[in-house]
Structure formats: structure tokens, C-alpha cells
Amino acid sequence: MPLLEVRNLTVAFDTARGPFRAVEHLDISVNAGEVLAIVGESGSGKSVAMLATMGLLPDTARVTADVMRFDGRDLLTMSAHDRRAISGREVAMIFQEPVASLNPCFTVGFQIIETLRRHTPLNARQRHARAIELLEAVGIPEPQARMTSFPHQMSGGQCQRVMIAIAMACNPRLLIADEPTTALDVTIQKQILDLLLDLQVRHQMAMVLITHDMGVVAETADRVVVQYQGHKMEEADVLSLFEHPQNPYTRALLSALPENATGGRLPHVDVAAWMAEA
Amino acid sequence: MSDTPVLETRAVTRDYTTSSFFGGGKVVRALKGIDLKVARGKTLAVVGESGCGKSTLARIITLIDAPTSGEVLINGEQVRVGAGLTAALRRKVQIVFQNPYGSLNPRQKIGDVLAEPLKLSTGFGAAERRERVMAMLKRIGLGEEHYNRYPHMFSGGQRQRIAIARALMVNPELLVLDEPVSALDLSVQAQILNLLQDLQEEFELSYVFISHDLSVVRHVADDVMVMQWGDVVEYRSRDDIFAAPEHPYTRTLFDATPRIDPARIRARIEAKAARIAGG
């Protein structure tokens, strides 16, 4: 049984021109302990699908699905209260802009402790000790001293580490990382990806990595879902995807990578024309 | 054809003074003596991470800021930013920014966006300006029907085409491209890179291409300059630097860049399986 199972997910937003379907008939499953990469260009619905699963979309979104289960528990019929107990504890999420994800008015220590207070029975002293432990686990030097730092006193990479510490606070079984390194420099990106992969194996945690970067997919994923305009184009294990891409869209995307250019020119990827044909 | 580089900088430095409320500002040297040359029709890629000084360098090359010391030469002629800078000289260097959503005035029609550089630095009349804008719209793959539209009616890729077109309106010799494709999707990125390549050949343009994406750099550059903390750590031809990066920082950058390599994927998966099996 997959840890997360979503079948026939459709997310529609009401717009002035009628409903817009950001995700249509999407099936996604994540097994315990695996890294699933969801890759797609902007507007492919890769973030929306996961936000819908987390219950984090605004009320204007209409989310329908045949099945939406986490660890066998039905997320669709569950009360909001029960669902909140899962979000943040068993399923955690980190986002693209680490500096914007943290509250600028509170110390990072406070923000880690806040999660522990909400989701664990630890007392104040234990929470403080655990927060320091978490900062250390995500590679923040001098964690004790950093507890009283504000987000603006830290770099983007360090803020993302703090976000990861908050996400890891309750040992989640599934971590959803939405473009976690897109705003970061490439050397920092490598550090953060290495950290995430290390935590993932160490805690036997499942991870969904949402990204637009095929290189990041190749360096991190076990399995890959390729999305385009709300639809799943292809699903494959990572090696098959890069060695034998099946779907024309996947092939077109891979051919558009500068490193795959034959001669001086990049191929013209006319996605719209291809979609019209298909 | 002369051998004079279109752009040359000699020992360019730039200091910024951080002033605090209580005075006693600290001087930060953002550029520590940059020497570079860009030949006609060639592309120099500038690579580095945030804070390495590449945007400061872009401002100096584009003649927006003056260097603290050192010289900037355009076609061998020394340039002094300030009163002495003629419109004719300023026209020779234009810039395209990373974010095509932020770099176009949302209340200006595309036709006006493209006509404005002509208004500012040429003596063309309205009819001539309009004709040139129409020609440029066609050149970048848009049509006359786009003349009266506003920026929000275009996609990111189209907007970046417009930003490139605006830079080209005054027939520059050098384009500074500051991360021109990093905000774009892969399929759109390919189109813009192809367009830049076509324009370079057609107009014999020189590019200073600022990027953090090494796969893009490898595709577009003739020479590559790697910067760190305001200094040049390595500056060689593209083929040399990618064949054998010499400086430790260049190697760090190359190693950190995600790669699509089946052998590497296989090794990673095996290592992970072994680690899980080993507990």
C-alpha cells in the first residue's frame, strides 16, 4: 500500500472566464521511503496537486478526487481538525522562498519550538533542547547561539535549513519539497539537496520533490512524474526516464536542454503544436 | 576588420561605502581589479554566485555606474561615465535584464516601449520610429498586431523577446545579458537562446552573458570568466575551462551543478540501496 495515494484528482479555480482546471484526472502515489520527483514547467500544476493534497489551497479552489489517502486514512472525509494533525506532523512541506516562508518578527528558535508545541507533548525545556538538536541536524553552525537569530540575520541557504528543521521537527513520514533550491546558488543548492537526501534515508522518510530542473531530478529522484498543463505525461523510474523517455513531451523537454544540443542550435520545442496533435 | 575589442576593461575596481546612522561607513570593494576583453561577434560568459560582483560589473560595463578606479574602453576609446558621455557612445552598450515581468513598464504599449530608445537617443521622426519598431517586432518573431498591446498580454518568453528588441533598437554593438533566460521555462529558454544566437550572427553583436547556469554558459560562450568575491578566479576559453577547470572554486561550481548522466544516476541508486541495506 502506498503511503500517499491520490486518484483522479482535479483542481479547478473559478475565474471570470469560467472554471480553470489547474490539475485534471491526476493519479499520484508515493511509497514509503522513496523520493518521487514531480517535474514540469510553469503552469503544469505540479505545486497545486501537492497543495491540494495538503489541504493548503484557498477556498476558491474546488478539489475533487476519487481517492485521497495517507497511510490508509481517507483525507477526503476526514475532519479539518484531524487533517491538521496530519499536516505538519506526519506530512511536512517546505517551499521555494525560504526567507519569505519564515516569519520575520520571530527568532528561528521560536519558530521551531512553535511546531513542537503544536504537535508534540514535550515540555518547554525538552522543546528547547530538541530545537537545538534539529538545528544541529540540518547543519547550522553554533545552533545554541542561532536559536535567538532572526531570519534576516541568516543567509538564504541557512533559512532553508531552518525551514527543513521545522519540517523535520516531528519526524514526518512524508516531506513535500516545492522547488526547495530554486532561489539558491548552485553550491548551496547542492548542500541543501545532499541534506534532504541524507535525512530522507536516515529517517526512511518519503519525499516528494517538486522541481522544474531536470538536473535536480537526475540527482535526487527514485521515481519521476512528468506533468504538463495539469496532466500527467509520463511516470517512470529515474533511470528509464532519462535513458528511454516514452512520452513525446518528455523527449521534447530533454532535447531542449542546452547540454543535449547537437551542433549550435537548440531544437524548437513547440509544446502547443504537439499537444494539438496528440 | 580591426582587432580592437568592442569592450575592454583594465583593472576596474568598484567600492561601495556602507554608511550607518552613526557615521563611520565601511568600504566594501565589490570589484577588485577586473581585466576583460570582448571581441566583435563573440560572447563572454560571466559566471559566479550571488555577491560575487557580476551585477556590479554589469552596471559598469553598461555605463550606468563609474568604476572607482581603472578604465573602461569601448572600441578602444576610453569612456568616462558622467558629463562627457555622449549619446552615440551610450547607444553602443545596451542591457537585457533577468525578469521580463519587472523590466517592462506595465502601462506602456509595446510599440512605445520599443520606440522610446529611438526617441531618447536618435533624431528620427514619428513615422521612421514606427517603421523601425514594426521591423524589429517582425525580426523577433512578433507581428504588427502586437504594436498596441500591453506587456501583461504577453507570455514570459515573448516579454523577454521584447526586452531584447528594445535593447537592439539603437543598434548597439554590445549587449549585456543579465541572466536572460533563468526566469524562463526550458522550452522557452531554448527559443530565446536560439534568437540570441541568430541576432548575434546577423548584427555581429558582442555579448556579455551573465549566468549561473553552466549548461547554458557552455552552450553560448566563447570565453568564460568565473568570479568570486569581486575577483576573477579563472578566465579562459570555453573549451579549455570545461575540459579542465583549474581553480578549486571553478571545480566546486562545476561539481555542484546537477548533471543528467545515466552512469551517475545508476551509481547514486546503488549507493542508496547499499546504505539502506546496511542500516
Short mmCIF file of all heavy atoms in Angstrom, two decimals, chain B residues 195-251:
data_model
loop_
_atom_site.label_atom_id
_atom_site.label_comp_id
_atom_site.label_asym_id
_atom_site.label_seq_id
_atom_site.Cartn_x
_atom_site.Cartn_y
_atom_site.Cartn_z
N LEU B 195 17.29 32.64 -30.57
CA LEU B 195 17.10 34.01 -31.08
C LEU B 195 18.37 34.83 -30.85
O LEU B 195 18.83 35.54 -31.76
CB LEU B 195 15.90 34.67 -30.37
CG LEU B 195 15.67 36.15 -30.70
CD1 LEU B 195 15.24 36.32 -32.15
CD2 LEU B 195 14.64 36.78 -29.77
N LEU B 196 18.93 34.72 -29.64
CA LEU B 196 20.14 35.49 -29.34
C LEU B 196 21.28 35.10 -30.28
O LEU B 196 22.05 35.95 -30.73
CB LEU B 196 20.56 35.26 -27.88
CG LEU B 196 19.70 35.96 -26.83
CD1 LEU B 196 20.04 35.48 -25.43
CD2 LEU B 196 19.86 37.48 -26.91
N GLN B 197 21.36 33.83 -30.57
CA GLN B 197 22.40 33.33 -31.48
C GLN B 197 22.20 33.91 -32.89
O GLN B 197 23.15 34.37 -33.52
CB GLN B 197 22.31 31.82 -31.49
CG GLN B 197 23.52 31.13 -32.05
CD GLN B 197 23.33 29.62 -32.02
OE1 GLN B 197 22.55 29.10 -31.21
NE2 GLN B 197 24.03 28.93 -32.89
N ASP B 198 20.95 33.88 -33.37
CA ASP B 198 20.66 34.44 -34.70
C ASP B 198 21.01 35.91 -34.76
O ASP B 198 21.62 36.39 -35.72
CB ASP B 198 19.17 34.27 -35.02
CG ASP B 198 18.78 32.82 -35.18
OD1 ASP B 198 19.69 32.00 -35.38
OD2 ASP B 198 17.58 32.53 -35.11
N LEU B 199 20.59 36.66 -33.73
CA LEU B 199 20.83 38.10 -33.72
C LEU B 199 22.32 38.40 -33.68
O LEU B 199 22.79 39.34 -34.31
CB LEU B 199 20.13 38.74 -32.51
CG LEU B 199 18.59 38.68 -32.53
CD1 LEU B 199 18.03 39.08 -31.17
CD2 LEU B 199 18.04 39.59 -33.61
N GLN B 200 23.04 37.58 -32.92
CA GLN B 200 24.49 37.79 -32.83
C GLN B 200 25.13 37.67 -34.20
O GLN B 200 25.96 38.50 -34.59
CB GLN B 200 25.11 36.78 -31.87
CG GLN B 200 26.61 36.96 -31.72
CD GLN B 200 27.16 36.22 -30.52
OE1 GLN B 200 26.88 35.04 -30.31
NE2 GLN B 200 27.92 36.91 -29.69
N GLU B 201 24.73 36.63 -34.95
CA GLU B 201 25.30 36.42 -36.28
C GLU B 201 24.89 37.54 -37.23
O GLU B 201 25.70 38.09 -37.97
CB GLU B 201 24.86 35.07 -36.84
CG GLU B 201 25.67 33.92 -36.26
CD GLU B 201 24.99 32.57 -36.44
OE1 GLU B 201 24.14 32.45 -37.34
OE2 GLU B 201 25.32 31.66 -35.67
N GLU B 202 23.61 37.89 -37.17
CA GLU B 202 23.07 38.87 -38.11
C GLU B 202 23.70 40.25 -37.91
O GLU B 202 24.04 40.93 -38.88
CB GLU B 202 21.56 38.92 -37.92
CG GLU B 202 20.86 39.74 -38.98
CD GLU B 202 19.34 39.65 -38.82
OE1 GLU B 202 18.86 38.64 -38.28
OE2 GLU B 202 18.67 40.60 -39.23
N PHE B 203 23.83 40.68 -36.66
CA PHE B 203 24.28 42.05 -36.39
C PHE B 203 25.72 42.10 -35.89
O PHE B 203 26.18 43.15 -35.45
CB PHE B 203 23.36 42.72 -35.37
CG PHE B 203 21.93 42.82 -35.82
CD1 PHE B 203 20.94 42.08 -35.20
CD2 PHE B 203 21.58 43.65 -36.88
CE1 PHE B 203 19.62 42.17 -35.62
CE2 PHE B 203 20.26 43.74 -37.30
CZ PHE B 203 19.28 43.00 -36.67
N GLU B 204 26.41 40.97 -35.89
CA GLU B 204 27.78 40.90 -35.35
C GLU B 204 27.85 41.47 -33.94
O GLU B 204 28.76 42.24 -33.60
CB GLU B 204 28.75 41.63 -36.26
CG GLU B 204 29.51 40.69 -37.17
CD GLU B 204 30.85 41.26 -37.57
OE1 GLU B 204 30.90 42.45 -37.93
OE2 GLU B 204 31.83 40.51 -37.51
N LEU B 205 26.89 41.09 -33.13
CA LEU B 205 26.83 41.60 -31.76
C LEU B 205 27.84 40.90 -30.87
O LEU B 205 28.14 39.72 -31.07
CB LEU B 205 25.44 41.34 -31.18
CG LEU B 205 24.29 42.20 -31.69
CD1 LEU B 205 22.97 41.58 -31.27
CD2 LEU B 205 24.41 43.60 -31.14
N SER B 206 28.32 41.63 -29.89
CA SER B 206 29.11 41.01 -28.83
C SER B 206 28.21 40.90 -27.59
O SER B 206 27.40 41.78 -27.34
CB SER B 206 30.33 41.86 -28.49
OG SER B 206 31.07 42.09 -29.66
N TYR B 207 28.38 39.80 -26.87
CA TYR B 207 27.56 39.61 -25.67
C TYR B 207 28.44 39.47 -24.43
O TYR B 207 29.46 38.79 -24.46
CB TYR B 207 26.75 38.30 -25.77
CG TYR B 207 25.64 38.29 -26.79
CD1 TYR B 207 25.21 37.08 -27.34
CD2 TYR B 207 25.00 39.46 -27.19
CE1 TYR B 207 24.18 37.04 -28.28
CE2 TYR B 207 23.96 39.43 -28.11
CZ TYR B 207 23.56 38.22 -28.66
OH TYR B 207 22.54 38.18 -29.57
N VAL B 208 28.00 40.12 -23.36
CA VAL B 208 28.48 39.73 -22.04
C VAL B 208 27.31 39.04 -21.39
O VAL B 208 26.28 39.65 -21.12
CB VAL B 208 28.93 40.95 -21.20
CG1 VAL B 208 29.24 40.53 -19.78
CG2 VAL B 208 30.14 41.61 -21.84
N PHE B 209 27.44 37.74 -21.21
CA PHE B 209 26.31 36.89 -20.81
C PHE B 209 26.52 36.48 -19.36
O PHE B 209 27.38 35.66 -19.05
CB PHE B 209 26.29 35.66 -21.73
CG PHE B 209 25.02 34.87 -21.70
CD1 PHE B 209 24.14 34.92 -22.76
CD2 PHE B 209 24.72 34.05 -20.61
CE1 PHE B 209 22.96 34.18 -22.74
CE2 PHE B 209 23.54 33.32 -20.59
CZ PHE B 209 22.67 33.38 -21.66
N ILE B 210 25.74 37.08 -18.47
CA ILE B 210 25.88 36.77 -17.05
C ILE B 210 24.94 35.64 -16.70
O ILE B 210 23.74 35.72 -16.99
CB ILE B 210 25.56 38.02 -16.20
CG1 ILE B 210 26.55 39.12 -16.56
CG2 ILE B 210 25.59 37.70 -14.73
CD1 ILE B 210 26.24 40.44 -15.92
N SER B 211 25.45 34.58 -16.11
CA SER B 211 24.59 33.44 -15.83
C SER B 211 25.17 32.61 -14.71
O SER B 211 26.36 32.60 -14.45
CB SER B 211 24.45 32.58 -17.09
OG SER B 211 23.66 31.46 -16.81
N HIS B 212 24.29 31.91 -14.03
CA HIS B 212 24.77 30.96 -13.03
C HIS B 212 24.62 29.54 -13.56
O HIS B 212 25.03 28.58 -12.92
CB HIS B 212 23.96 31.11 -11.74
CG HIS B 212 22.55 30.65 -11.89
ND1 HIS B 212 21.59 31.41 -12.52
CD2 HIS B 212 21.97 29.48 -11.59
CE1 HIS B 212 20.46 30.72 -12.55
NE2 HIS B 212 20.67 29.56 -12.01
N ASP B 213 24.01 29.40 -14.75
CA ASP B 213 23.67 28.08 -15.26
C ASP B 213 24.76 27.61 -16.22
O ASP B 213 24.88 28.08 -17.34
CB ASP B 213 22.32 28.16 -15.98
CG ASP B 213 21.82 26.79 -16.40
OD1 ASP B 213 22.66 25.90 -16.64
OD2 ASP B 213 20.61 26.62 -16.52
N LEU B 214 25.55 26.66 -15.75
CA LEU B 214 26.72 26.26 -16.53
C LEU B 214 26.36 25.56 -17.83
O LEU B 214 27.10 25.63 -18.80
CB LEU B 214 27.62 25.37 -15.68
CG LEU B 214 28.34 26.12 -14.57
CD1 LEU B 214 29.01 25.15 -13.62
CD2 LEU B 214 29.37 27.08 -15.14
N SER B 215 25.21 24.89 -17.88
CA SER B 215 24.86 24.23 -19.15
C SER B 215 24.52 25.28 -20.20
O SER B 215 24.82 25.11 -21.38
CB SER B 215 23.72 23.23 -18.94
OG SER B 215 22.55 23.88 -18.55
N VAL B 216 23.90 26.38 -19.77
CA VAL B 216 23.62 27.48 -20.71
C VAL B 216 24.93 28.14 -21.13
O VAL B 216 25.16 28.40 -22.31
CB VAL B 216 22.67 28.52 -20.07
CG1 VAL B 216 22.56 29.75 -20.94
CG2 VAL B 216 21.30 27.91 -19.83
N VAL B 217 25.81 28.37 -20.17
CA VAL B 217 27.09 29.01 -20.46
C VAL B 217 27.88 28.19 -21.47
O VAL B 217 28.42 28.72 -22.45
CB VAL B 217 27.90 29.18 -19.15
CG1 VAL B 217 29.36 29.52 -19.45
CG2 VAL B 217 27.27 30.25 -18.29
N ARG B 218 27.90 26.91 -21.27
CA ARG B 218 28.63 26.03 -22.17
C ARG B 218 28.08 26.12 -23.59
O ARG B 218 28.81 26.01 -24.56
CB ARG B 218 28.51 24.60 -21.65
CG ARG B 218 29.40 23.64 -22.38
CD ARG B 218 29.37 22.28 -21.72
NE ARG B 218 30.54 21.53 -22.12
CZ ARG B 218 31.03 20.51 -21.45
NH1 ARG B 218 30.47 20.13 -20.33
NH2 ARG B 218 32.08 19.87 -21.89
N HIS B 219 26.78 26.34 -23.67
CA HIS B 219 26.14 26.41 -24.98
C HIS B 219 26.43 27.72 -25.70
O HIS B 219 26.61 27.74 -26.92
CB HIS B 219 24.63 26.23 -24.80
CG HIS B 219 23.87 26.24 -26.07
ND1 HIS B 219 23.95 25.22 -26.98
CD2 HIS B 219 23.02 27.15 -26.60
CE1 HIS B 219 23.17 25.50 -28.02
NE2 HIS B 219 22.62 26.66 -27.82
N VAL B 220 26.49 28.84 -24.95
CA VAL B 220 26.56 30.15 -25.63
C VAL B 220 27.95 30.78 -25.68
O VAL B 220 28.21 31.61 -26.55
CB VAL B 220 25.59 31.17 -24.97
CG1 VAL B 220 24.17 30.67 -25.01
CG2 VAL B 220 26.02 31.52 -23.56
N ALA B 221 28.84 30.41 -24.74
CA ALA B 221 30.04 31.23 -24.54
C ALA B 221 31.17 30.91 -25.50
O ALA B 221 31.30 29.78 -25.98
CB ALA B 221 30.54 31.06 -23.11
N ASP B 222 31.98 31.93 -25.80
CA ASP B 222 33.28 31.71 -26.42
C ASP B 222 34.35 31.69 -25.33
O ASP B 222 35.21 30.83 -25.32
CB ASP B 222 33.59 32.83 -27.43
CG ASP B 222 32.63 32.81 -28.60
OD1 ASP B 222 32.64 31.80 -29.32
OD2 ASP B 222 31.86 33.77 -28.76
N ASP B 223 34.26 32.66 -24.43
CA ASP B 223 35.14 32.69 -23.27
C ASP B 223 34.31 32.68 -22.00
O ASP B 223 33.16 33.13 -22.01
CB ASP B 223 36.00 33.97 -23.27
CG ASP B 223 37.00 33.96 -24.41
OD1 ASP B 223 37.64 32.93 -24.63
OD2 ASP B 223 37.12 35.00 -25.09
N VAL B 224 34.90 32.18 -20.93
CA VAL B 224 34.19 32.12 -19.65
C VAL B 224 35.06 32.77 -18.58
O VAL B 224 36.25 32.50 -18.49
CB VAL B 224 33.88 30.66 -19.24
CG1 VAL B 224 33.17 30.63 -17.89
CG2 VAL B 224 33.04 29.97 -20.30
N MET B 225 34.42 33.63 -17.79
CA MET B 225 35.10 34.27 -16.67
C MET B 225 34.37 33.87 -15.40
O MET B 225 33.18 34.10 -15.28
CB MET B 225 35.07 35.79 -16.87
CG MET B 225 35.78 36.57 -15.83
SD MET B 225 36.00 38.28 -16.40
CE MET B 225 34.77 39.06 -15.40
N VAL B 226 35.09 33.26 -14.48
CA VAL B 226 34.48 32.84 -13.22
C VAL B 226 34.86 33.84 -12.15
O VAL B 226 36.04 34.14 -11.97
CB VAL B 226 34.93 31.43 -12.82
CG1 VAL B 226 34.25 30.99 -11.53
CG2 VAL B 226 34.65 30.43 -13.92
N MET B 227 33.88 34.36 -11.44
CA MET B 227 34.14 35.37 -10.41
C MET B 227 33.77 34.85 -9.03
O MET B 227 32.83 34.08 -8.87
CB MET B 227 33.32 36.64 -10.68
CG MET B 227 33.78 37.41 -11.89
SD MET B 227 32.77 38.89 -12.12
CE MET B 227 33.35 39.89 -10.76
N GLN B 228 34.53 35.31 -8.06
CA GLN B 228 34.22 35.02 -6.66
C GLN B 228 34.68 36.20 -5.82
O GLN B 228 35.83 36.62 -5.94
CB GLN B 228 34.94 33.74 -6.22
CG GLN B 228 34.56 33.29 -4.83
CD GLN B 228 35.41 32.11 -4.36
OE1 GLN B 228 36.54 31.93 -4.80
NE2 GLN B 228 34.87 31.33 -3.45
N TRP B 229 33.83 36.72 -4.99
CA TRP B 229 34.15 37.82 -4.08
C TRP B 229 34.82 38.99 -4.80
O TRP B 229 35.82 39.53 -4.33
CB TRP B 229 35.02 37.33 -2.92
CG TRP B 229 34.41 36.22 -2.13
CD1 TRP B 229 33.10 36.09 -1.81
CD2 TRP B 229 35.07 35.08 -1.57
NE1 TRP B 229 32.90 34.94 -1.09
CE2 TRP B 229 34.08 34.31 -0.92
CE3 TRP B 229 36.40 34.63 -1.56
CZ2 TRP B 229 34.37 33.11 -0.28
CZ3 TRP B 229 36.67 33.44 -0.91
CH2 TRP B 229 35.67 32.71 -0.28
N GLY B 230 34.31 39.35 -5.95
CA GLY B 230 34.81 40.53 -6.62
C GLY B 230 36.09 40.31 -7.42
O GLY B 230 36.63 41.24 -7.99
N ASP B 231 36.55 39.09 -7.44
CA ASP B 231 37.79 38.77 -8.14
C ASP B 231 37.52 37.79 -9.27
O ASP B 231 36.56 37.01 -9.20
CB ASP B 231 38.77 38.10 -7.17
CG ASP B 231 39.98 38.96 -6.93
OD1 ASP B 231 40.32 39.72 -7.84
OD2 ASP B 231 40.55 38.86 -5.83
N VAL B 232 38.39 37.82 -10.28
CA VAL B 232 38.32 36.80 -11.32
C VAL B 232 39.18 35.63 -10.87
O VAL B 232 40.37 35.80 -10.61
CB VAL B 232 38.85 37.35 -12.65
CG1 VAL B 232 38.88 36.26 -13.70
CG2 VAL B 232 37.99 38.51 -13.11
N VAL B 233 38.57 34.46 -10.74
CA VAL B 233 39.39 33.32 -10.32
C VAL B 233 39.86 32.50 -11.52
O VAL B 233 40.88 31.83 -11.47
CB VAL B 233 38.65 32.39 -9.31
CG1 VAL B 233 38.28 33.16 -8.06
CG2 VAL B 233 37.44 31.74 -9.93
N GLU B 234 39.12 32.56 -12.62
CA GLU B 234 39.54 31.83 -13.81
C GLU B 234 38.91 32.50 -15.02
O GLU B 234 37.73 32.86 -14.99
CB GLU B 234 39.12 30.36 -13.71
CG GLU B 234 39.82 29.48 -14.72
CD GLU B 234 39.81 28.00 -14.34
OE1 GLU B 234 39.39 27.67 -13.21
OE2 GLU B 234 40.24 27.18 -15.16
N TYR B 235 39.69 32.66 -16.09
CA TYR B 235 39.19 33.36 -17.27
C TYR B 235 39.88 32.75 -18.47
O TYR B 235 41.03 33.03 -18.75
CB TYR B 235 39.53 34.86 -17.13
CG TYR B 235 39.09 35.76 -18.27
CD1 TYR B 235 38.20 35.32 -19.26
CD2 TYR B 235 39.57 37.05 -18.36
CE1 TYR B 235 37.81 36.15 -20.29
CE2 TYR B 235 39.20 37.90 -19.38
CZ TYR B 235 38.32 37.43 -20.35
OH TYR B 235 37.94 38.26 -21.37
N ARG B 236 39.17 31.85 -19.16
CA ARG B 236 39.76 31.15 -20.28
C ARG B 236 38.70 30.86 -21.34
O ARG B 236 37.53 31.18 -21.17
CB ARG B 236 40.37 29.83 -19.79
CG ARG B 236 41.58 30.05 -18.89
CD ARG B 236 42.33 28.78 -18.65
NE ARG B 236 41.55 27.80 -17.92
CZ ARG B 236 41.71 26.48 -18.04
NH1 ARG B 236 42.58 25.99 -18.87
NH2 ARG B 236 40.97 25.67 -17.32
N SER B 237 39.13 30.22 -22.41
CA SER B 237 38.17 29.88 -23.46
C SER B 237 37.21 28.83 -22.92
O SER B 237 37.56 28.06 -22.02
CB SER B 237 38.89 29.35 -24.69
OG SER B 237 39.24 28.00 -24.49
N ARG B 238 36.02 28.80 -23.49
CA ARG B 238 35.01 27.86 -23.04
C ARG B 238 35.53 26.43 -23.08
O ARG B 238 35.37 25.68 -22.12
CB ARG B 238 33.76 27.99 -23.91
CG ARG B 238 32.68 27.06 -23.47
CD ARG B 238 31.87 26.35 -24.53
NE ARG B 238 32.40 26.31 -25.87
CZ ARG B 238 31.61 26.31 -26.92
NH1 ARG B 238 30.31 26.44 -26.78
NH2 ARG B 238 32.12 26.21 -28.13
N ASP B 239 36.13 26.05 -24.20
CA ASP B 239 36.55 24.66 -24.35
C ASP B 239 37.60 24.28 -23.30
O ASP B 239 37.54 23.20 -22.71
CB ASP B 239 37.10 24.42 -25.76
CG ASP B 239 35.97 24.53 -26.80
OD1 ASP B 239 34.79 24.45 -26.39
OD2 ASP B 239 36.27 24.73 -27.98
N ASP B 240 38.53 25.20 -23.05
CA ASP B 240 39.57 24.90 -22.06
C ASP B 240 38.98 24.75 -20.67
O ASP B 240 39.29 23.82 -19.95
CB ASP B 240 40.61 26.05 -22.02
CG ASP B 240 41.50 26.02 -23.25
OD1 ASP B 240 41.39 25.04 -24.02
OD2 ASP B 240 42.30 26.96 -23.43
N ILE B 241 38.12 25.68 -20.31
CA ILE B 241 37.66 25.70 -18.92
C ILE B 241 36.74 24.51 -18.64
O ILE B 241 36.79 23.91 -17.57
CB ILE B 241 36.99 27.06 -18.58
CG1 ILE B 241 37.12 27.35 -17.09
CG2 ILE B 241 35.53 27.10 -18.99
CD1 ILE B 241 36.81 28.78 -16.73
N PHE B 242 35.94 24.12 -19.64
CA PHE B 242 35.07 22.98 -19.40
C PHE B 242 35.85 21.66 -19.49
O PHE B 242 35.48 20.68 -18.85
CB PHE B 242 33.87 22.98 -20.36
CG PHE B 242 32.76 23.88 -19.89
CD1 PHE B 242 32.62 25.16 -20.39
CD2 PHE B 242 31.87 23.45 -18.91
CE1 PHE B 242 31.61 26.01 -19.93
CE2 PHE B 242 30.86 24.28 -18.45
CZ PHE B 242 30.73 25.56 -18.96
N ALA B 243 36.91 21.63 -20.29
CA ALA B 243 37.71 20.42 -20.39
C ALA B 243 38.46 20.18 -19.08
O ALA B 243 38.53 19.06 -18.59
CB ALA B 243 38.68 20.51 -21.56
N ALA B 244 39.03 21.25 -18.52
CA ALA B 244 39.84 21.08 -17.32
C ALA B 244 39.80 22.34 -16.47
O ALA B 244 40.68 23.19 -16.58
CB ALA B 244 41.28 20.75 -17.70
N PRO B 245 38.78 22.50 -15.65
CA PRO B 245 38.73 23.67 -14.77
C PRO B 245 39.93 23.65 -13.84
O PRO B 245 40.26 22.62 -13.26
CB PRO B 245 37.42 23.48 -14.00
CG PRO B 245 37.06 22.05 -14.15
CD PRO B 245 37.63 21.60 -15.45
N GLU B 246 40.61 24.80 -13.72
CA GLU B 246 41.85 24.82 -12.96
C GLU B 246 41.67 25.26 -11.52
O GLU B 246 42.23 24.67 -10.61
CB GLU B 246 42.86 25.76 -13.65
CG GLU B 246 43.73 25.01 -14.63
CD GLU B 246 44.57 25.94 -15.47
OE1 GLU B 246 44.64 27.15 -15.16
OE2 GLU B 246 45.15 25.45 -16.45
N HIS B 247 40.89 26.31 -11.34
CA HIS B 247 40.78 26.87 -9.99
C HIS B 247 39.85 26.01 -9.12
O HIS B 247 38.83 25.52 -9.61
CB HIS B 247 40.24 28.29 -10.08
CG HIS B 247 40.37 29.07 -8.81
ND1 HIS B 247 39.46 28.99 -7.80
CD2 HIS B 247 41.34 29.92 -8.38
CE1 HIS B 247 39.83 29.77 -6.80
NE2 HIS B 247 40.98 30.35 -7.14
N PRO B 248 40.20 25.82 -7.85
CA PRO B 248 39.34 25.00 -6.97
C PRO B 248 37.89 25.49 -6.95
O PRO B 248 36.96 24.67 -6.94
CB PRO B 248 39.98 25.16 -5.59
CG PRO B 248 41.37 25.62 -5.83
CD PRO B 248 41.41 26.29 -7.16
N TYR B 249 37.70 26.81 -6.98
CA TYR B 249 36.32 27.31 -6.92
C TYR B 249 35.55 26.94 -8.19
O TYR B 249 34.38 26.58 -8.14
CB TYR B 249 36.30 28.83 -6.71
CG TYR B 249 34.89 29.39 -6.70
CD1 TYR B 249 34.04 29.11 -5.63
CD2 TYR B 249 34.40 30.16 -7.75
CE1 TYR B 249 32.75 29.58 -5.63
CE2 TYR B 249 33.12 30.62 -7.75
CZ TYR B 249 32.29 30.34 -6.68
OH TYR B 249 31.00 30.80 -6.68
N THR B 250 36.22 27.03 -9.35
CA THR B 250 35.57 26.63 -10.59
C THR B 250 35.16 25.16 -10.49
O THR B 250 34.04 24.79 -10.88
CB THR B 250 36.52 26.80 -11.78
OG1 THR B 250 37.13 28.08 -11.70
CG2 THR B 250 35.78 26.68 -13.09
N ARG B 251 36.06 24.34 -9.95
CA ARG B 251 35.73 22.92 -9.82
C ARG B 251 34.56 22.71 -8.88
O ARG B 251 33.68 21.89 -9.15
CB ARG B 251 36.96 22.15 -9.35
CG ARG B 251 38.00 21.96 -10.45
CD ARG B 251 38.87 20.75 -10.20
NE ARG B 251 39.80 20.98 -9.10
CZ ARG B 251 41.03 21.50 -9.27
NH1 ARG B 251 41.45 21.80 -10.48
NH2 ARG B 251 41.81 21.69 -8.24
#
